Structure formats: structure tokens, C-alpha cells
Amino acid sequence: EAIDNLEDASNELILTDEEVVRFQIGEVFAHVPKEEVETRIEEMKELNSKNLEKLEEEKESVVAQMAELKKILYGKFKDSINLEED
């Protein structure tokens, strides 16, 4: 969702004719040159993409660990347990 919001903001910048735009920094809006805002948005998109990739890798690792643990538990307890699927 954050990446989508940044993409929307980037598209809005393309449509504006203003050279200075309002940019939210924390709780405050500042007037910032359009080029600088474009650069900041691109940097934020890259950072969010890298974070998303990292989280996806962590998720894959956790899912793999869960699968191994389920195998062990089913091997030990057979049909006497019923583990939930994802």
C-alpha cells in the first residue's frame, strides 16, 4: 500500500505545473522544489521495495520452517493432531 501511495504521489507530480509543491515531512508540510520531491519519492519507493523484498524472504524462510515442523509433528503424532493450513 505504501508503494502504491508513493506511485500515486509520483503520478500527481507529473501532472502538476507547479515548480514548488507541498511535501509532508513528519507532521509538517513544507514547500519544496518539485525536482527534490521527485527525487525523495523515488528514494522512498526504492527503500520500500527493498524492505518488501526482505520481508518476502523472511516469510519464505518462516513458511519453510513451519513445513518442516509440521512434518516432524505429523511423523510423531500421526493422525492424532490436525494442524491448520496457511
Side-chain angles (χ1 to χ4, degrees):
E1 184 175 308
I3 293 175
D4 291 337
N5 289 342
L6 290 169
E7 192 65 42
D8 290 345
S10 182
N11 291 337
E12 288 294 324
L13 277 177
I14 292 170
L15 298 175
T16 187
D17 294 333
E18 303 294 324
E19 290 303 315
V20 175
V21 295
R22 288 179 6 151
F23 185 72
Q24 186 175 1
I25 303 171
E27 299 290 322
V28 178
F29 283 93
H31 288 90
V32 180
K34 181 180 172 182
E35 285 184 18
E36 184 178 335
V37 172
E38 289 171 340
T39 302
R40 286 187 183 202
I41 287 175
E42 287 304 315
E43 290 170 354
M44 292 166 72
K45 284 170 38 178
E46 286 178 30
L47 181 62
N48 278 323
S49 291
K50 288 178 184 177
N51 287 340
L52 183 59
E53 286 176 25
K54 181 181 173 188
L55 290 172
E56 288 291 338
E57 289 172 5
E58 289 176 14
K59 177 185 172 187
E60 289 175 19
S61 174
V62 169
V63 168
Q65 289 174 2
M66 285 175 50
E68 287 299 315
L69 291 172
K70 284 181 181 181
K71 284 181 191 175
I72 292 168
L73 289 171
Y74 277 121
K76 195 172 204 174
F77 297 106
K78 306 285 185 235
D79 293 332
S80 62
I81 62 169
N82 184 17
L83 300 176
E84 294 180 10
E85 293 298 319
D86 297 338

